[in-house]
Amino acid sequence: MAEFLSSFQDGHTKFNDNNIKRYKVPVVFSWVKDQLFVTNIPTALKQEIPLGSQIVEVEGEPLMDYLQKQVYPIVPASNENWRKRKALDFFLTGDKDTRYNCSIKTPNGEMKEVSLTTGIIGYEDISDWLIQRDNRICYVKNLPGDILYMKLTTFAKPQSVKEEFEKYLSQFISSKGVIFDIRGNRGGTDESWHNLIQYIADSDVNIQDGLMLTGRVSNTAIELYGKNVPQLADYYNGVAMQPIQLDPFKSKIPDSLRIKSPIILLVDGFTASAAEDFAVTMKNLKLATIVGTSTAGVVSSPKVNDHGHGYWSQVSFCRFSNPDGSDIIYTGVLPDTNIEYTLNDALGKTDTALDTAINIIHIHQAK
């Protein structure tokens, strides 16, 4: 069933079996272009698997061949970039104590055979990662040049986002530049950013204009005519779509409380779902400059179906697109400034996208 729903090529359409516990190996992997690297490990493995090692083969097969055969068939995705990234949720997972033999290429060019064993459910099961990452839901910090930075790791906790943002509201208003970082944010609910955007958009702007929704429509009175009338063929084939009209959504925030400095929105290939709704709305309404890489393309509204006995599925029931009708799910949200992600970025040694965002704000300040 998972393979069948994955064939729909939609990031939100999927099947899940809660009876299965999928254990991971205690390693974090990251893509840099078409190469997969080890970018975090428990300290106990640092001698066996050096940070920055490249995965070359799995179980005697070249990495991409292994993924095509063993992983990609169950990965729901609307484009190949997201399929590759989403595949990391399933890569080297299985029953507890499942062993995988891998060939790696260490940073000094040495080929090495290693064995990895599944044993954790989530990365939080390991406390002694070699690189400690900040996994807070959201946080705000000051950057040089009077720039305020807000990291939004998830949109699953709207109240947390609201409270953190409003705690620093006076600084957001007075800052000379603002950076919202939704890299790695795989969504949650649009409510998480609905409060925030009201402090950005002018009161005469309909925020709903940043994104167009269409839904499947049935008209039994005319669908049979579609068998012979080309103009009605979509009704006959059951694929007719029409725009979904939403009530206007406008800011009610006083102008004195609105952010008027340049805003940068950082995105990446793991920015998905509600986070993409935020990104595409900010972009299409010209409220921010989008910096990073193209997003996941997981923009739709899924309906959850509980089949009982631990089985459930999601099926998307409407389509999101740009206001001009152009696609989002096959391309993701395209950044205004594209950033080439490097291995040093993945290892936390550099942050090319953040540096670029800061430079863009400095250019605005100099004008």
Side-chain angles (χ1 to χ4, degrees):
M1 181 60 75
E3 189 168 346
F4 169 69
L5 289 183
S6 294
S7 71
F8 283 51
Q9 297 186 340
D10 174 76
H12 270 144
T13 297
K14 61 184 179 181
F15 178 81
N16 195 68
D17 181 355
N18 287 339
N19 300 297
I20 297 175
K21 284 189 176 181
R22 188 178 290 276
Y23 289 86
K24 305 172 181 284
V25 297
V27 179
V28 177
F29 303 99
S30 299
W31 290 103
V32 178
K33 295 184 178 179
D34 288 327
Q35 296 178 325
L36 188 63
F37 293 91
V38 173
T39 51
N40 211 353
I41 49 174
T43 54
L45 293 178
K46 66 180 182 180
Q47 298 299 328
E48 182 181 358
I49 308 174
L51 274 181
S53 295
Q54 180 188 347
I55 305 298
V56 179
E57 292 184 350
V58 179
E59 298 296 342
E61 291 190 86
L63 172 64
M64 296 310 296
D65 289 348
Y66 177 84
L67 290 173
Q68 290 286 354
K69 295 176 184 177
Q70 304 295 332
V71 182
Y72 282 178
I74 61 169
V75 177
S78 55
N79 60 74
E80 288 308 308
N81 283 334
W82 180 236
R83 191 181 309 281
K84 185 172 68 174
R85 292 177 172 87
K86 177 68 174 175
L88 298 183
D89 290 348
F90 305 92
F91 181 59
L92 304 191
T93 64
D95 294 334
K96 192 173 184 180
D97 297 326
T98 301
R99 179 169 293 185
Y100 291 97
N101 299 308
C102 302
S103 299
I104 65 172
K105 184 178 181 180
T106 67
N108 62 12
E110 174 192 357
M111 295 301 299
K112 186 176 182 181
E113 301 299 316
V114 298
S115 180
L116 297 172
T117 303
T118 60
I120 61 173
I121 293 292
Y123 294 126
E124 65 278 0
D125 292 348
I126 301 290
S127 60
D128 61 339
W129 290 105
L130 199 57
I131 301 176
Q132 295 298 319
R133 308 283 189 180
D134 194 328
N135 294 318
R136 286 177 288 175
I137 292 171
C138 55
Y139 60 88
V140 174
K141 67 179 181 180
N142 291 290
L143 298 179
D146 201 11
I147 297 171
L148 207 61
Y149 168 94
M150 184 173 188
K151 176 67 177 180
L152 301 146
T153 305
T154 177
F155 277 161
K157 303 287 185 180
Q159 189 61 29
S160 297
V161 172
K162 182 178 187 295
E163 291 174 359
E164 184 73 3
F165 173 75
E166 292 184 352
K167 184 166 63 175
Y168 293 90
L169 180 58
S170 62
Q171 290 178 251
F172 277 108
I173 295 169
S174 63
S175 68
K176 294 183 179 178
V178 172
I179 298 172
F180 293 113
D181 187 350
I182 56 172
R183 292 175 295 178
N185 185 327
R186 291 170 68 164
T189 170
D190 288 347
E191 183 185 353
S192 291
W193 58 267
H194 277 180
N195 175 68
L196 190 154
I197 201 171
Q198 293 188 69
Y199 290 89
I200 301 171
D202 290 337
S203 58
D204 60 347
V205 172
N206 180 12
I207 295 168
Q208 306 286 19
D209 289 342
L211 189 61
M212 183 171 72
L213 280 70
T214 54
R216 205 176 296 278
V217 59
S218 175
N219 189 322
T220 55
I222 63 175
E223 65 182 22
L224 291 179
Y225 288 99
K227 184 175 182 179
N228 300 309
V229 180
Q231 296 92 325
L232 303 178
D234 283 352
Y235 290 93
Y236 179 75
N237 294 317
V239 296
M241 305 282 285
Q242 70 178 15
I244 298 173
Q245 299 298 326
L246 300 175
D247 292 336
F249 172 31
K250 297 185 178 182
S251 172
K252 297 180 181 179
I253 301 300
D255 187 66
S256 60
L257 297 179
R258 193 161 288 118
I259 300 173
K260 298 179 182 178
S261 57
I263 297 174
I264 306 294
L265 190 61
L266 294 179
V267 300
D268 68 1
F270 284 99
T271 303
S273 195
E276 285 184 284
D277 297 347
F278 180 46
V280 73
T281 299
M282 292 284 281
K283 178 178 180 178
N284 286 329
L285 296 181
K286 302 187 186 306
L287 300 177
T289 299
I290 313 299
V291 174
T293 61
S294 58
T295 62
V298 187
V299 277
S300 57
S301 291
K303 180 179 180 181
V304 177
N305 306 284
D306 187 346
H307 305 294
H309 307 288
Y311 302 111
W312 60 271
S313 63
Q314 285 186 176
V315 178
S316 294
F317 63 88
C318 68
R319 184 181 185 89
F320 290 21
S321 59
N322 290 305
D324 62 3
S326 59
D327 179 70
I328 302 172
I329 68 168
Y330 295 121
T331 64
V333 181
L334 302 177
D336 299 304
T337 301
N338 191 70
I339 300 300
E340 198 71 44
Y341 192 62
T342 69
L343 180 55
N344 280 337
D345 290 336
L347 294 172
K349 296 179 180 179
T350 57
D351 194 335
T352 307
L354 180 58
D355 291 343
T356 301
I358 293 170
N359 288 335
I360 291 173
I361 290 176
H362 286 164
I363 291 171
H364 277 285
Q365 291 173 346
K367 290 182 179 179

